Amino acid sequence: MISENQKISQRQFGRMVVMDWLAKAALLLPGFAENESGRSFILSLIAGVSLAVAYAWVVGWTARHMEQGMYAYTAERLGGGCAKVLMLFYFCYALMNSVLLVRLFGVVAQVFVLPEMSQSVLMAAVVLGGVYIISGGLEVRARVSEVLFSALLYPLLFLLVCAAFSTESGYLGTGRAEFSMQTAKHGLQTFIAFGGTGIFLFLGSSLNKRENTGRTLVRAAIVTGVSVLALCLASIGSFGESGMRALPWPAITLMSSAVIPGSFFQRWDVVFTGLMLATLFPAVGAGMYYLKFLSEGLMGKGKNRGGGRNIGIGFLVYLFALWCGTYDTAFRVFTVVNGYVCVPILVIFTLTLAIVECAGRRRG
């Protein structure tokens, strides 16, 4: 919960970060394995997660030295115009990220849980959940993430361990790892999933013990990265390299092979899918929360007593999700807008802030 000084603890913050990343990384990253051997793909995942960990450390170091809000800090270091541009790019990043997650929720829920239900209705449900989360502000986000973290992460890890018993060592022993342009490309694509880490700087004024932010972000990146690496290794061991590339959602298919000793229940894929879908609710809520305060920074807070801005943000996300038409289109738009434009620019902004801060401290 929020303490009396209106701060959230580093523990709550770390769990919020993992919940923001986990489902997206687990479901998206195995899809980058096309035309690459299993070992090379694992190498690209390690490279991408390593970049994410290094970037998380840079973001945490910058947060440690922020004595004011992100906008004021950027305006002071780089100028008011740069601060506005930074917020605009973060708004685009958060919008495309939220749209992708909404579309991901719709297609996964329809394929594995409710095939008779329209994706539009399913997407509307997760958007409404996001509106509820942002209506309560950071306090609701912290509570939801803390409750869901233990309730979802540990059962997911348990199912992963059970599913790993179906792996065949022969699949894992074939091929060799070669670092190529394809491997580098997949490593950068992996980093895209973590490329918006700098957005957590906007929470700096709400974090208790801000000096520990870097450690918290690094731990969250490692937990998420190791979980996805374990999932991909288990998928390759169960289906082989070609099998994992052929499956649209190898993580969910893997869980369907989980065998729980003494259990007669066979539909563990439904259980796993339900857990994954539950993690998407706080992730969508997080994206919409950032859209809300970024829009307030760009256009002013105005008179929002009736929650009109919250509804407007939900409508904007839902409208863009419908405009994409399909999940594949949403994924391509996400890759182009966030992967090729927003993430590189935001990383450059964050590194520039860190360099300016470091140079200023050396002079001072």
mmCIF file with all atom_site columns, all heavy atoms in Angstrom, residues 108-126:
data_model
loop_
_atom_site.group_PDB
_atom_site.id
_atom_site.type_symbol
_atom_site.label_atom_id
_atom_site.label_alt_id
_atom_site.label_comp_id
_atom_site.label_asym_id
_atom_site.label_entity_id
_atom_site.label_seq_id
_atom_site.pdbx_PDB_ins_code
_atom_site.Cartn_x
_atom_site.Cartn_y
_atom_site.Cartn_z
_atom_site.occupancy
_atom_site.B_iso_or_equiv
_atom_site.pdbx_formal_charge
_atom_site.auth_seq_id
_atom_site.auth_comp_id
_atom_site.auth_asym_id
_atom_site.auth_atom_id
_atom_site.pdbx_PDB_model_num
ATOM 1   N N   . VAL A 1 108 ? -5.206  -14.215 -27.711 1.00 0.00 ? 108 VAL A N   1
ATOM 2   C CA  . VAL A 1 108 ? -4.887  -15.371 -26.868 1.00 0.00 ? 108 VAL A CA  1
ATOM 3   C C   . VAL A 1 108 ? -6.136  -15.865 -26.148 1.00 0.00 ? 108 VAL A C   1
ATOM 4   O O   . VAL A 1 108 ? -6.394  -17.078 -26.073 1.00 0.00 ? 108 VAL A O   1
ATOM 5   C CB  . VAL A 1 108 ? -3.773  -15.010 -25.864 1.00 0.00 ? 108 VAL A CB  1
ATOM 6   C CG1 . VAL A 1 108 ? -3.581  -16.131 -24.842 1.00 0.00 ? 108 VAL A CG1 1
ATOM 7   C CG2 . VAL A 1 108 ? -2.464  -14.762 -26.599 1.00 0.00 ? 108 VAL A CG2 1
ATOM 8   N N   . ALA A 1 109 ? -6.937  -14.933 -25.613 1.00 0.00 ? 109 ALA A N   1
ATOM 9   C CA  . ALA A 1 109 ? -8.155  -15.335 -24.919 1.00 0.00 ? 109 ALA A CA  1
ATOM 10  C C   . ALA A 1 109 ? -9.129  -16.036 -25.856 1.00 0.00 ? 109 ALA A C   1
ATOM 11  O O   . ALA A 1 109 ? -9.774  -17.021 -25.478 1.00 0.00 ? 109 ALA A O   1
ATOM 12  C CB  . ALA A 1 109 ? -8.819  -14.110 -24.282 1.00 0.00 ? 109 ALA A CB  1
ATOM 13  N N   . GLN A 1 110 ? -9.231  -15.559 -27.100 1.00 0.00 ? 110 GLN A N   1
ATOM 14  C CA  . GLN A 1 110 ? -10.156 -16.182 -28.044 1.00 0.00 ? 110 GLN A CA  1
ATOM 15  C C   . GLN A 1 110 ? -9.667  -17.556 -28.488 1.00 0.00 ? 110 GLN A C   1
ATOM 16  O O   . GLN A 1 110 ? -10.451 -18.512 -28.548 1.00 0.00 ? 110 GLN A O   1
ATOM 17  C CB  . GLN A 1 110 ? -10.348 -15.288 -29.268 1.00 0.00 ? 110 GLN A CB  1
ATOM 18  C CG  . GLN A 1 110 ? -11.381 -15.825 -30.248 1.00 0.00 ? 110 GLN A CG  1
ATOM 19  C CD  . GLN A 1 110 ? -11.434 -15.026 -31.523 1.00 0.00 ? 110 GLN A CD  1
ATOM 20  O OE1 . GLN A 1 110 ? -10.426 -14.844 -32.203 1.00 0.00 ? 110 GLN A OE1 1
ATOM 21  N NE2 . GLN A 1 110 ? -12.627 -14.524 -31.863 1.00 0.00 ? 110 GLN A NE2 1
ATOM 22  N N   . VAL A 1 111 ? -8.385  -17.690 -28.789 1.00 0.00 ? 111 VAL A N   1
ATOM 23  C CA  . VAL A 1 111 ? -7.857  -18.951 -29.320 1.00 0.00 ? 111 VAL A CA  1
ATOM 24  C C   . VAL A 1 111 ? -7.860  -20.054 -28.272 1.00 0.00 ? 111 VAL A C   1
ATOM 25  O O   . VAL A 1 111 ? -8.211  -21.210 -28.563 1.00 0.00 ? 111 VAL A O   1
ATOM 26  C CB  . VAL A 1 111 ? -6.438  -18.732 -29.875 1.00 0.00 ? 111 VAL A CB  1
ATOM 27  C CG1 . VAL A 1 111 ? -5.784  -20.080 -30.234 1.00 0.00 ? 111 VAL A CG1 1
ATOM 28  C CG2 . VAL A 1 111 ? -6.481  -17.831 -31.105 1.00 0.00 ? 111 VAL A CG2 1
ATOM 29  N N   . PHE A 1 112 ? -7.509  -19.729 -27.021 1.00 0.00 ? 112 PHE A N   1
ATOM 30  C CA  . PHE A 1 112 ? -7.285  -20.773 -26.026 1.00 0.00 ? 112 PHE A CA  1
ATOM 31  C C   . PHE A 1 112 ? -8.371  -20.886 -24.958 1.00 0.00 ? 112 PHE A C   1
ATOM 32  O O   . PHE A 1 112 ? -8.463  -21.917 -24.299 1.00 0.00 ? 112 PHE A O   1
ATOM 33  C CB  . PHE A 1 112 ? -5.942  -20.535 -25.320 1.00 0.00 ? 112 PHE A CB  1
ATOM 34  C CG  . PHE A 1 112 ? -4.751  -20.743 -26.216 1.00 0.00 ? 112 PHE A CG  1
ATOM 35  C CD1 . PHE A 1 112 ? -4.148  -19.666 -26.830 1.00 0.00 ? 112 PHE A CD1 1
ATOM 36  C CD2 . PHE A 1 112 ? -4.247  -22.011 -26.450 1.00 0.00 ? 112 PHE A CD2 1
ATOM 37  C CE1 . PHE A 1 112 ? -3.046  -19.841 -27.651 1.00 0.00 ? 112 PHE A CE1 1
ATOM 38  C CE2 . PHE A 1 112 ? -3.155  -22.204 -27.276 1.00 0.00 ? 112 PHE A CE2 1
ATOM 39  C CZ  . PHE A 1 112 ? -2.550  -21.115 -27.881 1.00 0.00 ? 112 PHE A CZ  1
ATOM 40  N N   . VAL A 1 113 ? -9.177  -19.855 -24.776 1.00 0.00 ? 113 VAL A N   1
ATOM 41  C CA  . VAL A 1 113 ? -10.133 -19.888 -23.670 1.00 0.00 ? 113 VAL A CA  1
ATOM 42  C C   . VAL A 1 113 ? -11.568 -19.732 -24.139 1.00 0.00 ? 113 VAL A C   1
ATOM 43  O O   . VAL A 1 113 ? -12.438 -20.544 -23.804 1.00 0.00 ? 113 VAL A O   1
ATOM 44  C CB  . VAL A 1 113 ? -9.805  -18.781 -22.635 1.00 0.00 ? 113 VAL A CB  1
ATOM 45  C CG1 . VAL A 1 113 ? -10.786 -18.844 -21.466 1.00 0.00 ? 113 VAL A CG1 1
ATOM 46  C CG2 . VAL A 1 113 ? -8.378  -18.935 -22.122 1.00 0.00 ? 113 VAL A CG2 1
ATOM 47  N N   . LEU A 1 114 ? -11.866 -18.679 -24.930 1.00 0.00 ? 114 LEU A N   1
ATOM 48  C CA  . LEU A 1 114 ? -13.242 -18.367 -25.331 1.00 0.00 ? 114 LEU A CA  1
ATOM 49  C C   . LEU A 1 114 ? -13.335 -18.231 -26.846 1.00 0.00 ? 114 LEU A C   1
ATOM 50  O O   . LEU A 1 114 ? -13.476 -17.126 -27.384 1.00 0.00 ? 114 LEU A O   1
ATOM 51  C CB  . LEU A 1 114 ? -13.702 -17.074 -24.651 1.00 0.00 ? 114 LEU A CB  1
ATOM 52  C CG  . LEU A 1 114 ? -13.758 -17.091 -23.115 1.00 0.00 ? 114 LEU A CG  1
ATOM 53  C CD1 . LEU A 1 114 ? -13.950 -15.678 -22.584 1.00 0.00 ? 114 LEU A CD1 1
ATOM 54  C CD2 . LEU A 1 114 ? -14.869 -18.014 -22.641 1.00 0.00 ? 114 LEU A CD2 1
ATOM 55  N N   . PRO A 1 115 ? -13.280 -19.348 -27.578 1.00 0.00 ? 115 PRO A N   1
ATOM 56  C CA  . PRO A 1 115 ? -13.288 -19.262 -29.032 1.00 0.00 ? 115 PRO A CA  1
ATOM 57  C C   . PRO A 1 115 ? -14.577 -18.692 -29.616 1.00 0.00 ? 115 PRO A C   1
ATOM 58  O O   . PRO A 1 115 ? -14.581 -18.174 -30.734 1.00 0.00 ? 115 PRO A O   1
ATOM 59  C CB  . PRO A 1 115 ? -13.087 -20.722 -29.469 1.00 0.00 ? 115 PRO A CB  1
ATOM 60  C CG  . PRO A 1 115 ? -13.519 -21.545 -28.299 1.00 0.00 ? 115 PRO A CG  1
ATOM 61  C CD  . PRO A 1 115 ? -13.177 -20.734 -27.096 1.00 0.00 ? 115 PRO A CD  1
ATOM 62  N N   . GLU A 1 116 ? -15.678 -18.773 -28.865 1.00 0.00 ? 116 GLU A N   1
ATOM 63  C CA  . GLU A 1 116 ? -16.950 -18.257 -29.378 1.00 0.00 ? 116 GLU A CA  1
ATOM 64  C C   . GLU A 1 116 ? -17.104 -16.756 -29.129 1.00 0.00 ? 116 GLU A C   1
ATOM 65  O O   . GLU A 1 116 ? -18.047 -16.139 -29.634 1.00 0.00 ? 116 GLU A O   1
ATOM 66  C CB  . GLU A 1 116 ? -18.111 -19.000 -28.720 1.00 0.00 ? 116 GLU A CB  1
ATOM 67  C CG  . GLU A 1 116 ? -18.364 -18.686 -27.253 1.00 0.00 ? 116 GLU A CG  1
ATOM 68  C CD  . GLU A 1 116 ? -17.359 -19.351 -26.308 1.00 0.00 ? 116 GLU A CD  1
ATOM 69  O OE1 . GLU A 1 116 ? -16.541 -20.155 -26.811 1.00 0.00 ? 116 GLU A OE1 1
ATOM 70  O OE2 . GLU A 1 116 ? -17.415 -19.077 -25.109 1.00 0.00 ? 116 GLU A OE2 1
ATOM 71  N N   . MET A 1 117 ? -16.194 -16.176 -28.376 1.00 0.00 ? 117 MET A N   1
ATOM 72  C CA  . MET A 1 117 ? -16.297 -14.767 -28.015 1.00 0.00 ? 117 MET A CA  1
ATOM 73  C C   . MET A 1 117 ? -15.559 -13.897 -29.023 1.00 0.00 ? 117 MET A C   1
ATOM 74  O O   . MET A 1 117 ? -14.494 -14.254 -29.531 1.00 0.00 ? 117 MET A O   1
ATOM 75  C CB  . MET A 1 117 ? -15.718 -14.543 -26.618 1.00 0.00 ? 117 MET A CB  1
ATOM 76  C CG  . MET A 1 117 ? -15.930 -13.132 -26.068 1.00 0.00 ? 117 MET A CG  1
ATOM 77  S SD  . MET A 1 117 ? -17.648 -12.811 -25.622 1.00 0.00 ? 117 MET A SD  1
ATOM 78  C CE  . MET A 1 117 ? -17.806 -13.865 -24.171 1.00 0.00 ? 117 MET A CE  1
ATOM 79  N N   . SER A 1 118 ? -16.123 -12.740 -29.330 1.00 0.00 ? 118 SER A N   1
ATOM 80  C CA  . SER A 1 118 ? -15.492 -11.800 -30.245 1.00 0.00 ? 118 SER A CA  1
ATOM 81  C C   . SER A 1 118 ? -14.259 -11.176 -29.597 1.00 0.00 ? 118 SER A C   1
ATOM 82  O O   . SER A 1 118 ? -14.261 -10.859 -28.405 1.00 0.00 ? 118 SER A O   1
ATOM 83  C CB  . SER A 1 118 ? -16.484 -10.705 -30.636 1.00 0.00 ? 118 SER A CB  1
ATOM 84  O OG  . SER A 1 118 ? -15.832 -9.638  -31.290 1.00 0.00 ? 118 SER A OG  1
ATOM 85  N N   . GLN A 1 119 ? -13.219 -10.983 -30.398 1.00 0.00 ? 119 GLN A N   1
ATOM 86  C CA  . GLN A 1 119 ? -12.018 -10.335 -29.885 1.00 0.00 ? 119 GLN A CA  1
ATOM 87  C C   . GLN A 1 119 ? -12.315 -8.905  -29.450 1.00 0.00 ? 119 GLN A C   1
ATOM 88  O O   . GLN A 1 119 ? -11.699 -8.403  -28.502 1.00 0.00 ? 119 GLN A O   1
ATOM 89  C CB  . GLN A 1 119 ? -10.913 -10.335 -30.940 1.00 0.00 ? 119 GLN A CB  1
ATOM 90  C CG  . GLN A 1 119 ? -10.234 -11.670 -31.140 1.00 0.00 ? 119 GLN A CG  1
ATOM 91  C CD  . GLN A 1 119 ? -8.973  -11.559 -31.982 1.00 0.00 ? 119 GLN A CD  1
ATOM 92  O OE1 . GLN A 1 119 ? -8.302  -10.542 -31.997 1.00 0.00 ? 119 GLN A OE1 1
ATOM 93  N NE2 . GLN A 1 119 ? -8.650  -12.628 -32.703 1.00 0.00 ? 119 GLN A NE2 1
ATOM 94  N N   . SER A 1 120 ? -13.242 -8.249  -30.116 1.00 0.00 ? 120 SER A N   1
ATOM 95  C CA  . SER A 1 120 ? -13.590 -6.876  -29.749 1.00 0.00 ? 120 SER A CA  1
ATOM 96  C C   . SER A 1 120 ? -14.127 -6.802  -28.323 1.00 0.00 ? 120 SER A C   1
ATOM 97  O O   . SER A 1 120 ? -13.788 -5.888  -27.561 1.00 0.00 ? 120 SER A O   1
ATOM 98  C CB  . SER A 1 120 ? -14.632 -6.322  -30.732 1.00 0.00 ? 120 SER A CB  1
ATOM 99  O OG  . SER A 1 120 ? -14.139 -6.310  -32.049 1.00 0.00 ? 120 SER A OG  1
ATOM 100 N N   . VAL A 1 121 ? -14.961 -7.781  -27.953 1.00 0.00 ? 121 VAL A N   1
ATOM 101 C CA  . VAL A 1 121 ? -15.514 -7.811  -26.599 1.00 0.00 ? 121 VAL A CA  1
ATOM 102 C C   . VAL A 1 121 ? -14.427 -8.105  -25.584 1.00 0.00 ? 121 VAL A C   1
ATOM 103 O O   . VAL A 1 121 ? -14.353 -7.481  -24.511 1.00 0.00 ? 121 VAL A O   1
ATOM 104 C CB  . VAL A 1 121 ? -16.636 -8.864  -26.507 1.00 0.00 ? 121 VAL A CB  1
ATOM 105 C CG1 . VAL A 1 121 ? -17.143 -8.988  -25.068 1.00 0.00 ? 121 VAL A CG1 1
ATOM 106 C CG2 . VAL A 1 121 ? -17.778 -8.502  -27.445 1.00 0.00 ? 121 VAL A CG2 1
ATOM 107 N N   . LEU A 1 122 ? -13.538 -9.046  -25.904 1.00 0.00 ? 122 LEU A N   1
ATOM 108 C CA  . LEU A 1 122 ? -12.450 -9.401  -24.997 1.00 0.00 ? 122 LEU A CA  1
ATOM 109 C C   . LEU A 1 122 ? -11.505 -8.217  -24.799 1.00 0.00 ? 122 LEU A C   1
ATOM 110 O O   . LEU A 1 122 ? -11.045 -7.953  -23.674 1.00 0.00 ? 122 LEU A O   1
ATOM 111 C CB  . LEU A 1 122 ? -11.688 -10.611 -25.540 1.00 0.00 ? 122 LEU A CB  1
ATOM 112 C CG  . LEU A 1 122 ? -12.491 -11.913 -25.604 1.00 0.00 ? 122 LEU A CG  1
ATOM 113 C CD1 . LEU A 1 122 ? -11.737 -12.969 -26.400 1.00 0.00 ? 122 LEU A CD1 1
ATOM 114 C CD2 . LEU A 1 122 ? -12.785 -12.418 -24.200 1.00 0.00 ? 122 LEU A CD2 1
ATOM 115 N N   . MET A 1 123 ? -11.223 -7.496  -25.877 1.00 0.00 ? 123 MET A N   1
ATOM 116 C CA  . MET A 1 123 ? -10.352 -6.328  -25.765 1.00 0.00 ? 123 MET A CA  1
ATOM 117 C C   . MET A 1 123 ? -11.018 -5.237  -24.942 1.00 0.00 ? 123 MET A C   1
ATOM 118 O O   . MET A 1 123 ? -10.359 -4.547  -24.155 1.00 0.00 ? 123 MET A O   1
ATOM 119 C CB  . MET A 1 123 ? -9.989  -5.805  -27.154 1.00 0.00 ? 123 MET A CB  1
ATOM 120 C CG  . MET A 1 123 ? -9.071  -6.719  -27.941 1.00 0.00 ? 123 MET A CG  1
ATOM 121 S SD  . MET A 1 123 ? -8.433  -5.955  -29.460 1.00 0.00 ? 123 MET A SD  1
ATOM 122 C CE  . MET A 1 123 ? -9.957  -5.616  -30.356 1.00 0.00 ? 123 MET A CE  1
ATOM 123 N N   . ALA A 1 124 ? -12.318 -5.083  -25.101 1.00 0.00 ? 124 ALA A N   1
ATOM 124 C CA  . ALA A 1 124 ? -13.038 -4.087  -24.312 1.00 0.00 ? 124 ALA A CA  1
ATOM 125 C C   . ALA A 1 124 ? -12.947 -4.408  -22.823 1.00 0.00 ? 124 ALA A C   1
ATOM 126 O O   . ALA A 1 124 ? -12.825 -3.504  -21.985 1.00 0.00 ? 124 ALA A O   1
ATOM 127 C CB  . ALA A 1 124 ? -14.500 -4.030  -24.753 1.00 0.00 ? 124 ALA A CB  1
ATOM 128 N N   . ALA A 1 125 ? -12.968 -5.704  -22.486 1.00 0.00 ? 125 ALA A N   1
ATOM 129 C CA  . ALA A 1 125 ? -12.891 -6.108  -21.080 1.00 0.00 ? 125 ALA A CA  1
ATOM 130 C C   . ALA A 1 125 ? -11.556 -5.707  -20.460 1.00 0.00 ? 125 ALA A C   1
ATOM 131 O O   . ALA A 1 125 ? -11.507 -5.166  -19.342 1.00 0.00 ? 125 ALA A O   1
ATOM 132 C CB  . ALA A 1 125 ? -13.101 -7.615  -20.958 1.00 0.00 ? 125 ALA A CB  1
ATOM 133 N N   . VAL A 1 126 ? -10.456 -5.950  -21.173 1.00 0.00 ? 126 VAL A N   1
ATOM 134 C CA  . VAL A 1 126 ? -9.148  -5.616  -20.607 1.00 0.00 ? 126 VAL A CA  1
ATOM 135 C C   . VAL A 1 126 ? -8.944  -4.102  -20.571 1.00 0.00 ? 126 VAL A C   1
ATOM 136 O O   . VAL A 1 126 ? -8.290  -3.571  -19.661 1.00 0.00 ? 126 VAL A O   1
ATOM 137 C CB  . VAL A 1 126 ? -8.024  -6.325  -21.387 1.00 0.00 ? 126 VAL A CB  1
ATOM 138 C CG1 . VAL A 1 126 ? -7.795  -5.700  -22.753 1.00 0.00 ? 126 VAL A CG1 1
ATOM 139 C CG2 . VAL A 1 126 ? -6.727  -6.325  -20.586 1.00 0.00 ? 126 VAL A CG2 1
#
